[in-house]
Amino acid sequence: MAKPIEALLDERRRYRPPEEFVARANVRDPDVYRQADEDFEGFWSRFAGELDWFRKWDRVLEWNPPDARWFIGGKLNASVNCVDRHLATPRKNKAAIIWEGEPGDTRVLTYQELSREVNRFANVLRSLGVKKGDRVTIYLPMIPELPISMLACARIGAPHSVVFGGFSPTALASRIEDSGSRILITCDGYYRRGELIPQKARADEAAQKSGGIEKVIVVRRAGNDVPMQPGRDLWWHELMEGARGVAAPEEMDAEDMLFMMYTSGTTGKPKGVVHTTGGYLVGVYATTKWVFDLHEEDTYWCSADIGWITGHSYIVYGPLSNGATTVMYEGSPDWPDKDRLWQMVERYRVNIFYTAPTAIRQFMQWGEQYPARHDLSSLRLLGSVGEPINPEAWVWYHRVIGGGRCPIVDTWWQTETGMIMITPLPGITETKPGSATRPFPGVRAAVLDENGQPVPPGGGGYLALLRPWPAMLRTIWGDHDRYVAQYWSRWNRETYYPGDGAKWDEDGYFWVLGRVDDVMNVAGHRLSTMEIESALVEHPAVAEAAVIGALHPIKGQVPVAFVILKSGHAGSPALEQELKQKVAEVISPIARPDRVVFTPDLPKTRSGKIMRRLLRDIAEGKELGDVTTLRNPEVAEELRMAFTSHA
Ligand code: WT7
C-alpha cells in the first residue's frame, strides 16, 4: 500500500489518554512494559494464575524454535473458564451475551443461562458420539447457538472449526474435508439486509461435496422450510429437549487443541491454523482485560463476525473468560437504516466498541447524521482491527463516534497470533492516528530488512516478532512443514514472519503498512490472490489469470483480475459477470473481483513470473515505473489502455 506510507510519515497529531480515563484505568503504570520484558514468562503466568486450572502447570514455556509449548503439565477447560468460573460469583445472573437479530428480536443469556445451554449441547454432542479430539465444523451466522456450540465443543474437548457463514458451499466443503469433521452444525436460514439467506441449502451442498459428514445439526433460526435428510439431519431444538444441563468438562492439557481456523495464505489452499487451550486462553484473557480496560459493569461490543478470529478471541473467549457482557448482532449495519449500530450503542449503553477501518470508512461516507441521531455518551473506549487505519478515518472515529473523549486502540494481530500483539494500552499510551503504537507487554516486535537486520528508527521493512507468546499458533493442521516454512524461515527459526510491511518511528511506534506477500485485505477479510486465480481458471474460457489487490477508498483493497482467455473465447461484459460470479461461488462474495480485464498477455519477468506490482499500478492508475526487466514490455502499455478504456 504505497500511498498511505507518505501520509503516515507526515502524521504529527498526538492524543494523550484523557485524565478521567486514566483515573479509572486498570493499567496506569508505564513500568509494566519493563517488568514484562524482563520476565515475560512470569508476566504471562500471573494472568494464567487468574484462570481456573484442574492442575497447575509445571513450567511456563518450553521453546524449541519454532515449536513452543506453554503452561506445560497444566490442565484446564476453556468452557469452565468462560462460564463455570463465574457462577460462584455475583456474575451468575449477569448478562453474558446480549444478542440482537437483524429483524429486531433479542435474546439475553446470563452466565447461568449460558452455562445451561452449553452443558446441554455438550451432552447432545456426546450422545452423538463426539469425543475428545474429534473436529466439529460450525457453519452458523451470528446467533447465540454459535458461541454455545463453540463452548460445548470446548467442554468435551472437541476442537471446533468455525467456517464464516458467508463462505460458499465449495469453500465450506474443502474445509470440512481438510479438518476431517463428521459433524456439521448449521441453521435453516438467517437474515441479511432483510433478505432470508438459505443457509441449510448451502450446508447440504457442502456436505454432499465433501463426504464424511455423518450428522448435520440444524438450528431453527428463520423458520424457512428446509428438507431434512433422515438419519443425517437433526434439529437442534429436538436434541436439546431431553438434554441434561450438567456435563462434566473434559480435563484438557494446556497444549491440547482448542480450535482451528482456516485462513488464506500465499497458496491457493487455505490453511487450518491450530490454537491450543492454555496459551490461547491466557493470551486472549490478558489482552481483553488490559487493551479494552474491562470493568465489571461494562457492556462490550465487538462488531466482527465470530466466523473470523476477531470474533473467536474478542467476542467469545476473551470477554467471556473475563466475565464481561458481550453484545452480538446478527445483521447488516445499514438495516433497516444506516444508524443501526448507533441505535444499539444507545439501547445497550455500550461502553467499549471494537470495529474495523473498512466499517469506519463506510460510516464516514454515509455521513455524520446517522451517529448524530443517537446518544453515544456511554462509549468510553474505541478499538480498530483488521487493516491499517488511515489517519483521517482514525480522527473521524475519535471525533464523531468517540465524542472526542474516547481513547482509540488500534490493534495489530492475525489469525495466527490468536491475540492482540501491537496496541496501545488505553490508560498509558499516547496515540498517533494510523499507528498501532507498541507491542503489548511481554511481546517483542521489530522492523527487519531482507537480511534480518533491524531497520533504524524512521525506516521501513518487514514486521517481525522476536519472542514466543502464549496464543501463538502451534501448527498448520496436517502440515507442520508449512508452519515452519511460512512463518519461521524468513530469517531464522526464532523469528516469526507475519507477512506485513511496517515502519517504526523515533518513539518506537509501529506503523503497519499492509501485506507484502500475495495476500490482500478486502474490507478486513484476508484473501489470497492465488485462491481467486484458481477459482477463475476453473472456468472453461480462462487460460490464465492474475489477481491483485488494488486500493479502494472504503474496502481498503479490492481484487482486480487480469484474464487471458482460451482461443475461441472473446471477452464481453457478460463473460466478465460470469467470471465474477464464479469467484463468488467458489470462495465467497467477498472475493468477487471488482473488475475483470481481458488481455491477450500478462506482464512477465524474464524468469516468467507475473509482475504483480505493475498490474497494481495499472489498476490504481499510477505512473508505470521501469518496465525494462519485462520479457514483454509492450504489454504494460496495452494493459493500461485496456484498463482505462473499459473503466
Ligand atoms: C492481517 C491479519 C486479526 C484480526 C483480523 C484480521 C492486517 C490486522 C491490523 C492493524 C494494520 C492490520 C495485517 C495482518 N491487520 N490488524 N491494526 N493495522 N494491519 O486477521 O485475517 O488473520 O489478517 O490483517 O495485514 O497480517 P487476519
Side-chain angles (χ1 to χ4, degrees), residues 46-218:
R46 275 189 295 282
F47 284 107
E50 295 176 20
L51 296 175
D52 274 4
W53 298 75
F54 300 119
R55 182 185 186 279
K56 203 185 163 208
W57 58 95
D58 304 311
R59 277 170 55 209
V60 177
L61 171 66
E62 192 185 280
W63 180 220
N64 295 313
D67 296 307
R69 296 172 66 215
W70 283 86
F71 306 108
I72 296 132
K75 307 277 180 205
L76 78 167
N77 184 289
S79 84
V80 167
N81 278 288
C82 290
V83 184
D84 307 35
R85 196 163 88 82
H86 311 303
L87 299 183
T89 74
R91 289 179 187 145
K92 177 180 160 195
N93 292 314
K94 172 178 176 176
I97 297 173
I98 297 179
W99 174 82
E100 199 169 293
E102 194 182 76
D105 44 342
T106 60
R107 194 171 161 196
V108 178
L109 286 157
T110 64
Y111 274 96
Q112 174 56 40
E113 288 168 324
L114 180 62
S115 160
R116 190 171 151 72
E117 296 303 289
V118 168
N119 278 269
R120 287 168 80 203
F121 196 61
N123 280 325
V124 165
L125 290 173
R126 278 188 177 140
S127 75
L128 295 174
V130 182
K131 291 185 303 293
K132 179 176 171 183
D134 293 348
R135 281 81 57 209
V136 173
T137 297
I138 307 176
Y139 186 54
L140 284 174
M142 287 287 284
I143 57 176
E145 287 79 0
L146 174 50
I148 291 168
S149 304
M150 292 163 71
L151 292 167
C153 285
R155 194 158 193 91
I156 67 170
H160 51 74
S161 165
V162 179
V163 176
F164 172 57
F167 266 131
S168 69
T170 315
L172 172 60
S174 68
R175 285 158 176 77
I176 290 172
E177 242 164 53
D178 186 78
S179 66
S181 302
R182 293 181 297 114
I183 308 274
L184 174 63
I185 305 171
T186 188
C187 69
D188 51 359
Y190 66 100
Y191 300 98
R192 193 76 199 170
R193 282 206 183 84
E195 195 191 322
L196 190 127
I197 312 285
Q199 194 75 346
K200 171 67 162 58
R202 293 145 56 88
D204 283 341
E205 198 184 322
Q208 219 140 45
K209 269 201 179 121
S210 60
I213 289 292
E214 291 164 14
K215 298 285 175 212
V216 179
I217 303 174
V218 188

Side-chain angles (χ1 to χ4, degrees), residues 251-315:
E251 293 198 5
M252 302 296 282
D253 189 272
E255 279 297 308
D256 278 338
M257 178 172 166
L258 176 60
F259 68 87
M260 60 206 283
M261 165 111 262
Y262 285 90
T263 189
S264 294
T266 47
T267 70
K269 192 177 177 293
K271 43 195 182 185
V273 168
V274 171
H275 284 293
T276 57
T277 308
Y280 173 80
L281 206 64
V282 169
V284 298
Y285 168 76
T287 47
T288 306
K289 185 171 178 177
W290 278 27
V291 175
F292 298 111
D293 187 47
L294 269 187
H295 288 66
E296 195 59 54
E297 66 281 11
D298 279 334
T299 302
Y300 163 93
W301 185 12
C302 164
S303 76
D305 192 293
I306 293 176
W308 308 109
I309 192 71
T310 307
H312 277 53
S313 299
Y314 298 107
I315 299 177

Side-chain angles (χ1 to χ4, degrees), residues 263 309-310 384-388 410-416 498 500 512 514-515 521 524 526:
T263 189
I309 192 71
T310 307
S384 171
V385 61
E387 54 179 313
D410 172 4
T411 62
W412 176 88
W413 58 294
Q414 308 180 297
T415 304
E416 293 87 342
D500 278 322
V512 180
R515 304 290 307 196
N521 194 323
R526 186 159 146 188

Side-chain angles (χ1 to χ4, degrees), residues 17 68 424 453 609:
Q453 294 305 310
K609 275 178 80 180

